[in-house]
Amino acid sequence: MSNWRFIQNDNKTPIIWLIISFLINIGIGIIDFKLGREFSFSIFYLIPIVLVTLAFGRQVGLVFCVFATGTWFTVDQLNNASYSHPMIGYWNAIMRFGFFVMITWLLPVLQELEREKQISRMDYLTGIVNRRYFFELLQAELNRS
């Protein structure tokens, strides 16, 4: 099993992680607002999106994509961003949303690839490393020494 899923399946933990991710998103929005429109801060909105996607999966991550895009767009409007055309702000929001969705869509794929990588290195019956992975480890140790 991969270490990507770090949320326990008890009753309180998911709510706590959702609240933490929500607060991180709001905090990033506040920092983004305080820095003004000169600084691009939109990549930091990925932090809560990644946390939620890794913890709860793609569907909840997509909901946070909408929330993060809304937070960014609100901050952009509050900072009185002036563009040459009124639709540019909406276009930027759509582009950021698309970027957030792509990351959210790819994270579970990366989780699955990591899981497959771990499975391919171990013998299913005995649980020990297979020949190919043994030689990879051996080569790494030889390089290290």
Side-chain angles (χ1 to χ4, degrees):
M1 189 72 175
S2 174
N3 290 335
W4 287 69
R5 285 222 183 243
F6 51 88
I7 302 297
Q8 301 295 326
N9 288 330
D10 61 10
N11 291 335
K12 295 177 184 174
T13 306
I15 300 299
I16 291 170
W17 279 105
L18 282 174
I19 292 170
I20 288 171
S21 297
F22 176 78
L23 293 175
I24 289 171
N25 192 21
I26 295 298
I28 290 169
I30 291 169
I31 293 169
D32 193 7
F33 177 73
K34 295 288 185 182
L35 288 176
R37 62 186 175 127
E38 289 85 21
F39 291 100
S40 178
F41 212 68
S42 59
I43 196 162
F44 293 105
Y45 288 98
L46 282 174
I47 294 169
I49 293 171
V50 168
L51 285 174
V52 167
T53 302
L54 291 178
F56 300 104
R58 191 176 283 153
Q59 291 79 16
V60 181
L62 290 172
V63 171
F64 256 75
C65 287
V66 172
F67 182 64
T69 303
T71 304
W72 172 84
F73 185 74
T74 302
V75 168
D76 193 49
Q77 295 300 311
L78 290 174
N79 278 333
N80 296 323
S82 59
Y83 300 109
S84 61
H85 192 278
M87 295 303 291
I88 292 177
Y90 296 103
W91 175 260
N92 289 342
I94 291 169
M95 291 298 106
R96 280 179 178 78
F97 178 71
F99 175 69
F100 295 159
V101 166
M102 283 190 292
I103 298 297
T104 302
W105 198 261
L106 289 175
L107 279 172
V109 173
L110 292 174
Q111 282 180 307
E112 186 63 27
L113 286 174
E114 183 64 28
R115 190 178 76 76
E116 293 294 327
K117 182 178 169 184
Q118 294 301 323
I119 288 173
S120 71
R121 291 178 167 179
M122 300 292 196
D123 180 60
Y124 180 74
L125 183 61
T126 62
I128 60 174
V129 297
N130 61 19
R131 182 178 187 267
R132 182 180 63 235
Y133 187 53
F134 172 76
F135 283 113
E136 286 178 26
L137 292 174
L138 178 64
Q139 187 62 46
E141 288 301 316
L142 288 174
N143 292 341
R144 189 176 64 90
S145 66

